[in-house]
Amino acid sequence: MTAKRIKATIRWITDSWMVILFFVFFFLFWEWSVDWFSIPRYILPKPSTIVVNASADLPRLIDYTYITGLETILGYLTAIVIAIPLGLAITFSSILRRTIYPFFVSIEMTPKIAFAPLFISWFGFGLLPKVIIVFLVCFFPIVLNAILAFGSLSDELDRFAKTTGASTFKVFLKIRIPSALPQCFVGFKYAAINATVGATIAEFIGSDQGLGFYIQIVTGNMRPDLAFAGIFLLTIMGLSLFGIVTFVERALIPWHISQRR
Amino acid sequence: MLAAISIKNVSKSFSTEGQPILAFGPADLEVNEGDFVTLLGPSGCGKSTLLLMIAGLIPCSSGQIIMNQDEVLSPRHDIGMMFQDSTLVPWRSVLGNINLQLELRNLNPNDFQDKISELIESVSLKGYEHLRPHELSGGMQQRAALCQALIHEPKTLLLDEPLGKLDAMTRENIRKDLQNLWMNEKPTVLMVTHSIEEAVQMSSKVCVITPRPGLIDKIIEIKLPWPRDLEVKRSQEFADYMAEIQEVFQGYGVI
């Protein structure tokens, strides 16, 4: 067991080193090729230029990261808070399953971002329309996966629970919820990947702050260096959100097959 | 002798496109208290369906099942069940899974400490109590499932091909454990299997079931000494029972 764990750690380090090395080479190549191929600065800036110029504009970047982050987190959490109980209700109500469920499946096919101009005309340029867009982007994968999760208990466990005579609530607490968690996390992770996309595009469409807004403005001012700074920050934000969700998943369901590798 | 389970004219049909199709029965069967009865038949003959009807997990299409002087109309709580796939939950250890049976029945696991260690010992899982199912072999998982099915001391044990997915050696081993447990506690056992050898080795009575729609064609009493160890299995009598049942299935054209 210990030997296995040590081996796994060593493998993790070697794997990570390769990734880190790759990133270093990637940025070195970028840095060097801008000069080598004489690419104009207003088309593609060097990574070093990006870092230097971004630090000069740091207060604004931090401010906007906070704004976009807030939109993302609020939309994402609201989606979870509403989607999970609704998913449960749909799983256990045949009326909802025949009405709301097909409705949700069809809306899932609609590009949610198409609603953004409407929301902005309804709710203005502030936080609310962006939170709603992030919410919509996150809501459907979470609710659809929740329905799948709560509805698919194995026959064996279902039968076993019935022979014990335990109350529905008890079976729910002790069997159905833990069984459903892995599939729920499929939805949470998918939504986490798309949350920042929703926030960014919503800001493109109409905003006066946030990283999406920033990228659009600085690109218009021929400052691709600052646009890249915004992109990096959005990447870090997306990675952090996904990382947190993965961390919670590991903590909650260490027994699940996807966590055991 | 009291009949622990009596099955009267029971059948099961499923409707496909409005047409009812008879899957099992009608069949009659009396299982005495403390009997070990196997339902032996080819796959698709409805033997598992019968077991689920006895457990009250699915309704009969016709007829009546009486268990311990009580008509079966809803899921029975005085039974222990095992299936081909174990009923262990992956987030609990062996011990946790045994406790799950008790917790769901509003029993306090602390009151069952002795019984739990005794059971764990009897299926050679001592030292593995704190491992989770995925850390165990298939055989050990089914041993744990057996403890889970027995911990609340059910009078009746319903087993649906519990050893179906295991390799031959593991199967042999668990049969021995199961037989010992049955000989000690004498619960009424109904086990579904498609292995003739398993049926002869384990049972006091073998119900031979025809291919779909399943009918209980023959009830063969196995009068071999207990425990049915390898010596008994090598005996001429054992071979004779095997041959007798094989001939029945040959008659059906399934082997």
Side-chain angles (χ1 to χ4, degrees):
Chain A
M1 197 67 193
T2 351
K4 210 165 130 192
R5 199 159 283 168
I6 291 167
K7 217 181 230 173
T9 315
I10 291 171
R11 203 178 49 214
W12 184 82
I13 291 169
T14 44
D15 285 1
S16 305
W17 270 114
M18 279 161 75
V19 173
I20 291 164
L21 215 63
F22 179 80
F23 270 103
V24 169
F25 273 118
F26 174 79
F27 284 110
L28 281 178
F29 176 74
W30 179 354
E31 180 85 24
W32 166 82
S33 59
V34 170
D35 281 338
W36 189 261
F37 299 114
S38 336
I39 301 169
R41 295 290 156 86
Y42 59 88
I43 300 286
L44 185 68
K46 285 195 214 170
S48 58
T49 320
I50 295 168
V51 172
V52 172
N53 294 355
S55 38
D57 205 17
L58 204 57
R60 198 153 61 129
L61 278 169
I62 290 173
D63 229 28
Y64 285 173
T65 305
Y66 169 74
I67 297 288
T68 308
L70 192 66
E71 290 161 4
T72 308
I73 293 289
L74 282 179
Y76 184 71
L77 290 182
T78 316
I80 291 180
V81 168
I82 295 180
I84 292 296
L86 204 58
L88 271 174
I90 292 171
T91 311
F92 294 105
S93 150
S94 63
I95 292 173
L96 291 183
R97 211 165 43 246
R98 274 176 293 174
T99 51
I100 294 188
Y101 181 52
F103 175 69
F104 279 176
V105 173
S106 13
I107 296 213
E108 169 63 357
M109 302 305 148
T110 315
K112 261 67 67 183
I113 204 70
F115 289 104
L118 277 178
F119 290 147
I120 284 159
S121 83
W122 293 341
F123 305 113
F125 282 81
L127 203 66
L128 186 62
K130 282 92 184 182
V131 173
I132 295 176
I133 289 295
V134 175
F135 167 80
L136 281 182
V137 168
C138 299
F139 176 77
F140 292 96
I142 297 177
V143 81
L144 295 178
N145 276 292
I147 293 167
L148 193 62
F150 290 116
S152 54
L153 189 65
S154 76
D155 280 346
E156 283 80 14
L157 277 179
D158 186 40
R159 286 168 182 162
F160 163 63
K162 280 183 183 145
T163 64
T164 63
S167 66
T168 316
F169 179 71
K170 202 160 195 177
V171 173
F172 201 74
L173 213 62
K174 292 197 183 263
I175 297 181
R176 230 173 240 279
I177 287 186
S179 308
L181 278 179
Q183 187 67 44
C184 283
F185 268 96
V186 173
F188 295 161
K189 282 162 116 173
Y190 184 83
I193 292 168
N194 286 296
T196 45
V197 180
T200 310
I201 300 181
E203 284 175 1
F204 282 171
I205 289 164
S207 185
D208 47 17
Q209 48 188 353
L211 288 174
F213 163 76
Y214 183 83
I215 290 168
Q216 221 178 17
I217 296 300
V218 296
T219 308
N221 294 341
M222 297 283 206
R223 291 296 301 274
D225 49 336
L226 296 180
F228 271 110
I231 292 168
F232 286 147
L233 286 171
L234 281 171
T235 309
I236 290 167
M237 191 188 294
L239 279 175
S240 312
L241 183 60
F242 192 76
I244 291 168
V245 177
T246 309
F247 178 79
V248 175
E249 182 184 28
R250 268 184 204 185
L252 280 181
I253 49 170
W255 45 269
H256 189 248
I257 193 149
S258 67
Q259 307 301 319
R260 270 188 243 139
R261 260 168 262 147
Chain B
M1 191 81 99
L2 263 173
I5 303 168
S6 62
I7 291 159
K8 292 172 186 160
N9 200 32
V10 164
S11 76
K12 181 73 189 175
S13 3
F14 295 101
S15 79
T16 332
E17 292 162 15
Q19 290 278 22
I21 291 176
L22 186 64
F24 179 83
D28 295 274
L29 177 68
E30 298 262 304
V31 179
N32 292 330
E33 226 166 90
D35 259 358
F36 196 122
V37 175
T38 45
L39 304 170
L40 174 66
S43 58
C45 72
K47 52 195 192 298
S48 296
T49 307
L50 176 60
L51 203 73
L52 291 176
M53 288 192 286
I54 295 169
L57 289 165
I58 55 173
C60 315
S61 303
S62 76
Q64 200 184 28
I65 296 173
I66 304 208
M67 184 191 285
N68 304 327
Q69 286 83 53
D70 220 5
E71 187 174 358
V72 176
L73 294 168
S74 57
R76 297 292 299 197
H77 305 155
D78 53 352
I79 56 171
M81 276 200 99
M82 267 180 86
F83 302 94
Q84 194 166 20
D85 289 304
S86 80
T87 49
L88 303 176
V89 296
W91 57 89
R92 283 181 176 230
S93 65
V94 170
L95 203 58
N97 267 291
I98 298 172
N99 288 345
L100 182 63
Q101 172 83 270
L102 300 169
E103 289 169 28
L104 289 174
R105 290 169 182 272
N106 293 322
L107 298 169
N108 185 352
N110 289 330
D111 302 338
F112 287 79
Q113 285 310 317
D114 296 341
K115 175 83 188 161
I116 291 170
S117 11
E118 193 188 310
L119 266 176
I120 283 179
E121 190 124 16
S122 69
V123 298
S124 337
L125 276 179
K126 204 167 169 52
Y128 298 93
E129 300 95 317
H130 298 291
L131 295 186
R132 289 194 174 140
H134 71 264
E135 295 167 300
L136 304 173
S137 66
M140 288 161 100
Q141 287 180 16
Q142 284 303 61
R143 288 168 196 274
L146 181 59
C147 295
Q148 187 191 53
L150 286 171
I151 187 59
H152 55 296
E153 302 177 329
K155 280 175 72 180
T156 312
L157 203 53
L158 302 178
L159 311 174
D160 189 0
E161 292 190 48
L163 312 180
K165 281 191 175 168
L166 305 176
D167 63 275
M169 282 187 211
T170 310
R171 216 153 47 209
E172 195 67 54
N173 249 313
I174 300 184
R175 280 178 197 162
K176 195 175 70 193
D177 290 344
L178 181 58
Q179 192 156 79
N180 286 336
L181 281 165
W182 172 72
M183 286 168 68
N184 289 338
E185 314 270 337
K186 281 284 171 169
T188 309
V189 182
L190 250 157
M191 179 169 79
V192 165
T193 183
H194 51 236
S195 157
I196 297 172
E197 181 201 354
E198 188 162 281
V200 175
Q201 182 183 354
M202 302 300 288
S203 334
S204 45
K205 280 180 195 150
V206 176
C207 302
V208 179
I209 301 177
T210 64
R212 195 181 186 112
L215 290 169
I216 298 179
D217 187 25
K218 273 198 169 73
I219 298 175
I220 300 168
E221 202 166 329
I222 310 288
K223 290 174 180 153
L224 291 170
W226 307 94
R228 310 254 170 89
D229 51 18
L230 287 175
E231 202 177 319
V232 175
K233 289 185 77 175
R234 276 193 293 263
S235 67
Q236 188 53 47
E237 290 81 358
F238 193 92
D240 290 344
Y241 279 119
M242 291 270 295
E244 181 185 347
I245 297 171
Q246 273 162 0
E247 265 161 43
V248 176
F249 283 118
Q250 245 164 0
Y252 302 153
V254 292
I255 53 172

